[in-house]
Amino acid sequence: MLSQAASRLGFDVVILDPEENSPAGRVSRGQIVAAYDDPTALTVLGRVCDVVTFEFENVPAASAEQLAGGGALVAPGPTALSTAQDRVLEKTFLNAVGATTVDFVAVDTLEDLTAALETLGTPALLKTRRDGYDGKGQVWIKTAKQAAKAFAEIGGRPAILEARADFTRELSIIAARGHDGAVAVYPLGQNHHANGVLATTLAPAQVDAATTARAREIAEAILEGLDYVGVIGVELFDLGGGDLLVNEIAPRVHNTGHWTQDGCLCDQFEQHIRAIAGWPLGPTEAHAQVEMTNLLGDDVDQWPALAAEPNARLHLYGKAEARPGRKMAHVNRVSRLA
């Protein structure tokens, strides 16, 4: 979807992906088939591209650093990527810029976990520090007696223990920052997760002025703190009364921003390309109400019925295998703004 947006703006796109005939490669000018940390492939990519970006945060930060060190313009920069890849570094950064999170403790051993549970109490959420996404690499601990089992479930890896957040709903904000420091912010979305995976986003969310203002303040602080260029997704816990906690950040276009494809004149994908290419940022106002629903695994087989819905816009990802829980597509159901 990023490549398609870039093509519409007149750019040629080259994809680096280890999968031959990848979904992104099939809609791009060319593809380099290699691992994300292949030094030769990275050198070639940096030489043929005026700007390099990434679309998920599990690309090695060292790869971004190699590209930047070789003179390539990488946006967002390596710092944003490395910060988002480590949950302890991420939460430490967020609190430092005034984007408050739940209380947390770094955990390296079972003894650390036992001590952390005494500090934070239960229930608490244990997550691997790195590589977890869509509910993977995390487990709830309801009593201290479950510590050993929980630590074994995440493979005894370096982790973070997070206190439970007493929130009323989950929100998210999609924002962008250009090379010149200009910032554009989309309306908030309200999210529903099932089994740790985003199920739906309703946007624009019904929020008061205080909540909107605080969310924008948080997004701007994060963007400035990382000297960020591009689109970012910020997941939030709404505590009510304009009080928000940051759950996590995503240094990329984000699943909770897919509604913008059919709800805004300039969607998050075009906005990201505009930002990294040095173009003026586009408008972010919503012209429609959108409910975005993820299609996981075999859900994608519903595509004929979904394509027949008059107010639905179906976005298929072109992935070859519909594995259980894998994001295969999404559908945006569009209605008039209230």
Side-chain angles (χ1 to χ4, degrees), residues 18 40 78 83 88-89 98 144 186 217 233 236 283 311:
T40 301
T83 300
V88 173
L89 292 179
Y186 288 93
E217 180 180 56
L236 304 163
N311 295 325

Side-chain angles (χ1 to χ4, degrees), residues 138-212:
Q138 59 184 262
V139 58
W140 278 100
I141 301 177
K142 296 181 180 179
T143 70
K145 293 180 180 179
Q146 296 174 334
K149 180 181 178 183
F151 196 57
E153 282 187 31
I154 65 165
R157 299 165 61 190
I160 182 172
L161 187 71
E162 299 178 359
R164 180 180 179 273
D166 187 18
F167 60 92
T168 60
R169 58 179 175 172
E170 297 179 60
L171 301 171
S172 59
I173 190 164
I174 306 297
R177 183 173 180 269
H179 289 284
D180 60 356
V183 172
V185 179
Y186 288 93
L188 285 159
Q190 181 171 334
N191 308 311
H192 170 69
H193 288 77
N195 300 317
V197 182
L198 180 69
T200 62
T201 295
L202 181 66
Q206 295 298 311
V207 292
D208 57 29
T211 301
T212 297

Side-chain angles (χ1 to χ4, degrees), residues 1 23 293-301 314-331:
M1 291 179 280
T293 301
N294 275 328
L295 301 180
L296 308 179
D298 291 340
D299 290 346
V300 74
D301 293 339
L314 182 62
H315 299 267
L316 298 164
Y317 302 159
K319 295 179 179 178
E321 183 183 0
R323 297 191 299 268
R326 191 183 194 193
K327 293 175 182 175
M328 300 298 296
H330 68 271
V331 60

Side-chain angles (χ1 to χ4, degrees), residues 1-2 5-6 8-9 174-176 184-187 230-231 253 257-276 279-288 332:
M1 291 179 280
L2 276 172
R8 287 195 302 271
L9 297 179
I174 306 297
V185 179
Y186 288 93
V231 163
V253 289
H258 289 356
W259 71 272
T260 61
Q261 288 176 297
D262 300 296
C264 300
L265 186 64
C266 177
D267 66 36
Q268 67 165 346
F269 300 99
E270 178 179 328
Q271 193 76 279
H272 185 77
I273 299 302
R274 282 173 169 261
I276 66 174
W279 283 31
L281 299 181
T284 56
E285 297 82 3
H287 60 68
N332 285 334

Side-chain angles (χ1 to χ4, degrees), residues 87-258:
R87 289 189 168 101
V88 173
L89 292 179
E90 179 186 63
K91 281 187 165 50
T92 301
F93 160 76
L94 289 169
N95 284 283
V97 298
T100 312
T101 71
V102 295
D103 292 333
F104 66 95
V105 178
V107 171
D108 291 317
T109 66
L110 179 57
E111 290 72 23
D112 290 342
L113 177 57
T114 301
L117 286 167
E118 292 179 1
T119 301
L120 298 181
T122 56
L125 185 58
L126 181 67
K127 299 178 179 179
T128 55
R129 283 184 67 155
R130 304 177 67 88
D131 298 332
Y133 64 96
D134 285 347
K136 298 177 178 66
Q138 59 184 262
V139 58
W140 278 100
I141 301 177
K142 296 181 180 179
T143 70
K145 293 180 180 179
Q146 296 174 334
K149 180 181 178 183
F151 196 57
E153 282 187 31
I154 65 165
R157 299 165 61 190
I160 182 172
L161 187 71
E162 299 178 359
R164 180 180 179 273
D166 187 18
F167 60 92
T168 60
R169 58 179 175 172
E170 297 179 60
L171 301 171
S172 59
I173 190 164
I174 306 297
R177 183 173 180 269
H179 289 284
D180 60 356
V183 172
V185 179
Y186 288 93
L188 285 159
Q190 181 171 334
N191 308 311
H192 170 69
H193 288 77
N195 300 317
V197 182
L198 180 69
T200 62
T201 295
L202 181 66
Q206 295 298 311
V207 292
D208 57 29
T211 301
T212 297
R214 178 56 181 151
R216 184 182 182 101
E217 180 180 56
I218 287 170
E220 290 180 343
I222 294 169
L223 292 168
E224 292 293 330
L226 291 172
D227 192 20
Y228 195 92
V229 174
V231 163
I232 195 170
V234 183
E235 296 182 1
L236 304 163
F237 294 136
D238 184 6
L239 308 184
D243 193 6
L244 300 171
L245 296 178
V246 179
N247 179 26
E248 62 182 28
I249 60 175
R252 53 176 170 81
V253 289
H254 195 243
N255 197 175
T256 64
H258 289 356

